[in-house]
Amino acid sequence: MLRFVLRRLIQMVGVVLVLSVLVFVWLRSLPGGPVSALLGERGTPERRAALEKALGLDQPLPVQYLRYMERAVQGDFGVSTKVLPGEDALDIFFARLPATIELSFFALVIAIALGIPLGYLAARRKGTPLDTTTVIFSLVGVAVPVFFTGFLLKYFFAVEWNLLPVSGRQSTGLDATRVTGLFVLDGILTREWDAAWDALKHLVLPAVALATIPFAVIFRITRASVLDVLDEDYVRTAEAKGLTAQVIRGRHVLRNAILPVVTTVGLQVGALLSGAVLTETVFSIRGIGDALATAFRDKDYPVLQVLIIAAAAIYVLVNLLVDIAYAVIDPRIRTR
Amino acid sequence: MSTPMSTHAVHPVHSSEPLLSVRDLRVTFGRRGEQPFKAVDGISFDVRPGQTVGLVGESGCGKSVTSLAIMGLLPTRGNTVEGSAVFDGEDLLRLSPGQMRDRRGREIAMIFQDPLSSLNPVVQIGRQVTEVMERHQGLSRKEAMPKAAELLERVGIPDPKARLVNYPHQLSGGMRQRALIAMALACKPRLLIADEPTTALDVTIQAQILALLKELVVETGTALVMITHDLGVVAGLCDEVNVLYGGRIVERGDRHTLFSRPRHPYTVGLLNSIPRLDAPRGEALSPIPGSVADNLPWDSACAFAPRCPNALDVCVQQTPEWEGDDVVGLRCFNPMGVSR
Ligand SMILES: Nc1ncnc2c1ncn2[C@@H]1O[C@H](COP(=O)(O)OP(=O)(O)OP(=O)(O)O)[C@@H](O)[C@H]1O
Ligand code: SF4
Ligand SMILES: [Mg+2]
């Protein structure tokens, strides 16, 4: 098990390194660049050249990359080129991380809490109206873009019916204490219940919007997986033992059916990260997705690099955790 | 063990009341709009306490469906079950699902063909044994664990305590089938149904498992319904043999009579297709020509007629009726002569 984890960690470093090269080259191949973004109309050739030199962009690509990596291994990922002198790129990442974690976490909780039970029920009641409705709903969930769902939810629940806040993470004017940067958790930790409640209300719409695709995927995998397991011989054996319906459901059906779902949840973290970009934009949440959108507009290479590479690292790390979890719950892997 | 009970088991008293009495069991598959398919077409047989009864026939003749119908384990939709299966005075087919749940695993147990797929891959063997006792004997998991170890030992699993925490994939095929037998016998059921329990195993392991089953039914007095397509399996085990064809019983008799003087042409065909160790090399077995796909409907003919060497004109015009009782019987217009 330890060797498995180590091997995966080494693989992970490899993946992140390769990705860093790709991102580095890809960003610089896009039209425009930080110099144009910074100077805009005022960009005389002399000023452009001077700025390029200052940012090190006059060097050949391999040199730029090696310099970047040399500093990166020391923890220096450069500064934002949006305004000069810019903020530290890594600081921006850490400042934005909690909002995205909070949003993605709630979205994932919603997706799992609805997807697994509904998937199970739909499988048990295959062909009934409950099954058909949820299947159609999940198909729609996958097909509709996140920003559209976001706009729709916002329009009705926030604007038209005024049930929930339109945007942001917390009402302005609330003097909430910050501990972790996860606003709901902060409110609970500091017992500022009104702040926690307020943050939670702000989370509902973006989290629901972001949850639609992972929900739909988890629902469908659960349903398919339960249908498969229900046909397994060991479920018939369990029935032949006269076990109660609860024991058969929990120990024999779900414990097996959950295995493919676990892998799927790991893969959904990718969908969550890309969905977060759109959701954060729609709901004006200052998270990683929002930072990414801004940095992309400004061609802010250092910030973009940190954000993309960190997002990829998170994705790979989460999948490693999922694989470990899988090995823990599936004895066929654990005890091989 | 030499209690009066086991003596009784060794010498089944055929006049005793049947433990299980299946009468005119019919299972029809097919949803509305589909051509219904009679998988089991009027089967009757008795099983007495301590007796071992064989149900033998080719693939698709309705053996598994018969046993699943008795156990109440057929899919809840897409089939109809008719007839009766009286167990200890109660018709199992009329019990509610909850009542049936109370009897399965306690009064009637079942073991299946493929030991690997029949065991839950993510639950330890010990737990899979104790859960039956937890369910039916009100034991806690802790109380049941030592009993589970005893059971594993009883079915010949070496180092049973260590095996309790193993998962199915860590056991060999033979050990898995032994574990399944342990689970089935955990609550000392009065009837055990074994559906091809050795088909998925190596020949040498097959013999061991059959020997174990034989030993256990003698020791515990459990009645056994042995389902197989292999008359060789029946030979060493069963008191009474029922030969099935196309969802009906075509011949019944005690083991000795059936093997020495088979009367139904299908039984003869089955006997001729048993591989013999003493057969000269290269001499082909004589399998029954044709396949079940050629079957005629029982309603107006003998289903076996297209494949039968003895077929007469009447065989394709009329249904051969059952002639016999619950001990011996035959369904054939032109049975094999005694001097075959
Ligand atoms: N759920 C079902 N729906 C429709 N037909 C079924 C179903 N289960 C079994 N059958 C059909 O019923 C017939 C009898 O099946 P059964 O499983 O009892 O055969 P078997 O004698 O046990 O054969 P085998 O030796 O292959 O196990 C087969 O033709 C099979 O296709
Ligand atoms: S009834 Fe006729 S066809 Fe059927 S087994 Fe007997 S002889 Fe053969
Ligand atoms: Mg079968």
Side-chain angles (χ1 to χ4, degrees):
Chain A
M1 189 73 192
L2 202 69
R3 277 177 52 191
F4 163 76
V5 174
L6 270 175
R7 201 172 61 222
R8 288 292 305 266
L9 280 173
I10 292 167
Q11 269 175 16
M12 191 179 135
V13 173
V15 167
V16 170
L17 269 179
V18 170
L19 194 88
S20 71
V21 176
L22 292 178
V23 170
F24 205 87
V25 174
W26 173 66
L27 284 178
R28 280 156 183 78
S29 72
L30 296 173
V35 173
S36 315
L38 268 171
L39 293 180
E41 300 294 301
R42 295 166 295 148
T44 65
E46 299 82 56
R47 295 188 62 176
R48 292 186 64 100
L51 194 56
E52 262 180 15
K53 190 152 196 234
L55 295 174
L57 295 175
D58 54 339
Q59 302 288 327
L61 262 188
V63 176
Q64 286 187 40
Y65 179 75
L66 288 178
R67 278 202 188 152
Y68 177 74
M69 286 311 288
E70 193 187 333
R71 297 209 197 98
V73 291
Q74 298 164 33
D76 174 8
F77 289 86
V79 293
S80 164
T81 58
K82 185 179 181 182
V83 286
L84 289 173
E87 246 184 292
D88 186 87
L90 197 61
D91 286 351
I92 294 182
F93 167 72
F94 282 119
R96 299 300 195 95
L97 186 61
T100 303
I101 291 186
E102 191 172 49
L103 174 62
S104 310
F105 176 78
F106 272 85
L108 195 59
V109 167
I110 294 172
I112 292 173
L114 288 179
I116 293 180
L118 279 176
Y120 177 82
L121 272 181
R124 287 313 296 243
R125 312 219 193 308
K126 185 173 179 248
T128 64
L130 173 105
D131 179 37
T132 324
T133 338
T134 33
V135 167
I136 292 174
F137 187 74
S138 78
L139 284 171
V140 174
V142 177
V144 177
V146 177
F147 72 88
F148 183 72
T149 323
F151 271 124
L152 222 56
L153 288 171
K154 185 160 138 176
Y155 179 73
F156 285 106
F157 289 88
V159 179
E160 281 288 303
W161 301 331
N162 210 4
L163 295 170
L164 290 160
V166 179
S167 63
R169 296 181 63 197
Q170 217 162 34
S171 303
T172 42
L174 249 179
D175 186 23
T177 319
R178 302 277 176 254
V179 187
T180 59
L182 309 166
F183 288 2
V184 178
L185 184 65
D186 287 354
I188 294 169
L189 289 175
T190 58
R191 294 169 189 267
E192 293 168 358
W193 305 118
D194 54 332
W197 180 238
D198 185 70
L200 192 64
K201 281 200 293 195
H202 278 83
L203 258 180
V204 173
L205 293 182
V208 168
L210 184 53
T212 45
I213 289 177
F215 157 77
V217 175
I218 291 172
F219 165 81
R220 281 161 55 183
I221 299 286
T222 307
R223 178 176 176 276
S225 174
V226 168
L227 281 177
D228 280 350
V229 170
L230 285 175
D231 273 342
E232 290 286 348
D233 287 350
Y234 53 80
V235 174
R236 194 183 52 190
T237 308
E239 292 284 2
K241 290 170 171 177
L243 302 180
T244 59
Q246 292 103 290
V247 171
I248 293 178
R249 182 175 57 224
R251 191 178 302 155
H252 295 282
V253 178
L254 276 177
R255 206 186 280 188
N256 281 286
I258 209 75
L259 295 172
V261 181
V262 171
T263 315
T264 308
V265 168
L267 296 174
Q268 285 314 300
V269 173
L272 281 174
L273 290 176
S274 56
V277 178
L278 302 165
T279 318
E280 288 175 6
T281 310
V282 173
F283 289 95
S284 319
I285 294 170
R286 293 177 55 76
I288 302 234
D290 177 63
L292 204 61
T294 317
F296 198 79
R297 205 182 48 223
D298 298 335
K299 295 292 179 301
D300 192 341
Y301 292 164
V303 173
L304 282 173
Q305 278 156 206
V306 163
L307 294 179
I308 295 175
I309 293 169
I314 292 175
Y315 178 72
V316 180
L317 194 66
V318 167
N319 276 288
L320 172 63
L321 292 177
V322 164
D323 284 351
I324 294 174
Y326 193 102
V328 168
I329 50 179
D330 189 342
R332 281 164 297 187
I333 294 177
R334 183 177 2 116
T335 59
R336 193 153 49 194
Chain B
M1 247 177 50
S2 62
T3 58
M5 174 73 188
S6 63
T7 322
H8 175 83
V10 183
H11 311 285
V13 180
H14 282 266
S15 58
S16 68
E17 280 295 298
L19 177 65
L20 172 72
S21 186
V22 177
R23 284 294 170 276
D24 205 24
L25 180 68
R26 287 166 200 276
V27 182
T28 315
F29 288 105
R31 292 163 192 274
R32 254 175 307 160
E34 278 174 27
Q35 176 76 16
F37 173 73
K38 295 175 183 169
V40 176
D41 195 12
I43 281 185
S44 306
F45 62 94
D46 286 345
V47 185
R48 294 184 165 73
Q51 193 186 18
T52 295
V53 171
L55 297 184
V56 191
E58 283 170 310
S59 185
C61 69
K63 308 181 293 287
S64 296
V65 172
T66 302
S67 58
L68 293 175
I70 296 169
M71 290 289 283
L73 290 177
L74 284 172
T76 43
R77 278 181 289 176
N79 63 71
T80 42
V81 181
E82 294 157 283
S84 66
V86 176
F87 177 83
D88 196 23
E90 287 175 326
D91 185 356
L92 299 177
L93 305 185
R94 306 257 154 344
L95 292 181
S96 73
Q99 290 170 319
M100 206 51 219
R101 230 177 245 288
D102 288 339
R103 283 159 187 70
R104 279 200 299 263
R106 175 161 67 186
E107 305 272 354
I108 313 173
M110 187 157 177
I111 48 182
F112 298 97
Q113 174 171 344
D114 182 351
L116 181 58
S117 68
S118 298
L119 287 165
N120 186 332
V122 301
V123 175
Q124 295 175 345
I125 295 291
R127 193 75 213 264
Q128 295 192 55
V129 181
T130 58
E131 64 182 358
V132 207
M133 295 183 271
E134 289 169 49
R135 164 73 171 94
H136 295 298
Q137 301 182 331
L139 298 180
S140 72
R141 188 178 176 178
K142 254 186 137 162
E143 293 164 332
M145 251 337 148
K147 289 180 189 283
E150 281 168 34
L151 276 162
L152 293 188
E153 176 149 45
R154 180 62 204 89
V155 297
I157 295 183
D159 199 5
K161 285 221 177 60
R163 296 285 89 81
L164 288 176
V165 294
N166 277 168
Y167 291 91
H169 72 277
Q170 297 172 299
L171 269 56
S172 69
M175 288 304 146
R176 287 182 203 129
Q177 192 57 286
R178 286 172 194 266
L180 275 161
I181 294 173
M183 287 165 209
L185 295 180
C187 294
K188 304 192 170 57
R190 286 192 283 170
L191 177 65
L192 177 63
I193 303 179
D195 188 356
E196 312 235 15
T198 59
T199 310
L201 303 173
D202 292 346
V203 183
T204 46
I205 312 287
Q206 281 189 13
Q208 291 172 13
I209 295 290
L210 289 176
L212 173 69
L213 274 176
K214 187 171 182 174
E215 196 182 313
L216 289 172
V217 294
V218 169
E219 179 183 309
T220 58
T222 304
L224 174 64
V225 174
M226 184 72 195
I227 293 178
T228 177
H229 63 268
D230 181 356
L231 265 179
V233 166
V234 168
L237 203 59
C238 297
D239 305 310
E240 177 188 302
V241 184
N242 295 287
V243 179
L244 269 69
Y245 191 83
R248 293 195 182 191
I249 293 177
V250 293
E251 183 166 15
R252 163 182 305 153
D254 70 77
R255 171 183 38 158
H256 299 291
T257 320
L258 203 90
F259 274 84
S260 54
R261 273 172 291 135
R263 309 228 30 227
H264 197 282
Y266 178 63
T267 313
V268 174
L270 279 181
L271 279 169
N272 288 341
S273 57
I274 300 178
R276 306 178 78 102
L277 290 176
D278 56 359
R281 248 185 91 86
E283 182 180 304
L285 299 174
S286 39
I288 305 163
S291 80
V292 282
D294 307 324
N295 285 5
L296 293 177
W298 278 114
D299 304 339
S300 57
C302 170
F304 186 57
R307 304 171 66 190
C308 179
N310 286 21
L312 307 172
D313 286 346
V314 64
C315 300
V316 294
Q317 292 156 357
Q318 248 180 293
T319 309
E321 295 302 328
W322 179 250
E323 286 170 32
D325 52 29
D326 48 5
V327 182
V328 290
L330 186 65
R331 185 192 291 282
C332 181
F333 289 120
N334 187 18
M336 294 295 183
V338 182
S339 56
R340 170 160 76 99

